[in-house]
Amino acid sequence: MNWILLIVGGLFETGFAVSLGKAQEHSGKEFWLWMLSFVICVSVSMYFLYKAMGGEQAIPVGTAYAVWGAIGATGTVLAGILFFKEPVTFWRIFFLTTLVASVVGLQIVSSEA
C-alpha cells in the first residue's frame, strides 16, 4: 500500500509542476485557478510522501524521496513535451532514462543491505 501512495504522490508532484507552468501562461481568474491547483497538488503530494514513509511497511526516507522525485521529474519532463511543446532530444530522453535507471539501481542495492 505504501508503494501505491508513493507513486500517487509522485504523480501529484508532476501535477504541481504542470500547474506552475500553466499559471505562468495565464492571468486573472485562470492564473488563480492554476495556483489553487498547485496548492492542492503539492499538499496531496507531500501528504502521500509522508504516509508512504510511515506505518508497518514504511519505505525508508532516502528511497521514498528518490522514487518520489524521479516519478515527479519523469512526469514533468513528459508533461513538458506533451503540453508545453518542449523539445524531444536524444540527450533529454537519455538522461531521463539514466535517472529512472539510477533510482531502480538505488532500490536494488538498498534492498540488499
Side-chain angles (χ1 to χ4, degrees):
M1 181 64 167
N2 287 22
W3 281 102
I4 293 169
L5 293 174
L6 188 62
I7 291 166
V8 172
L11 295 174
F12 273 95
E13 184 187 5
T14 298
F16 77 69
V18 169
S19 295
L20 284 178
K22 291 302 242 177
Q24 288 181 334
E25 296 178 347
H26 293 88
S27 61
K29 183 180 178 181
E30 289 176 347
F31 167 81
W32 289 109
L33 289 173
W34 282 112
M35 290 306 291
L36 177 62
S37 172
F38 164 75
V39 170
I40 291 169
C41 285
V42 77
S43 298
V44 171
S45 180
M46 292 293 171
Y47 178 75
F48 283 159
L49 175 62
Y50 164 78
K51 292 300 283 184
M53 294 187 304
E56 289 182 27
Q57 298 184 1
I59 301 170
V61 66
T63 302
Y65 187 77
V67 170
W68 175 81
I71 292 168
T74 302
T76 302
V77 169
L78 295 175
I81 290 167
L82 294 172
F83 302 123
F84 299 105
K85 308 292 188 254
E86 293 177 0
V88 180
T89 66
F90 169 79
W91 290 113
R92 287 188 85 195
I93 302 304
F94 173 79
F95 286 117
L96 188 60
T97 303
T98 61
L99 171 67
V100 172
S102 295
V103 171
V104 170
L106 177 64
Q107 177 59 26
I108 290 168
V109 299
S110 294
S111 61
E112 291 176 357

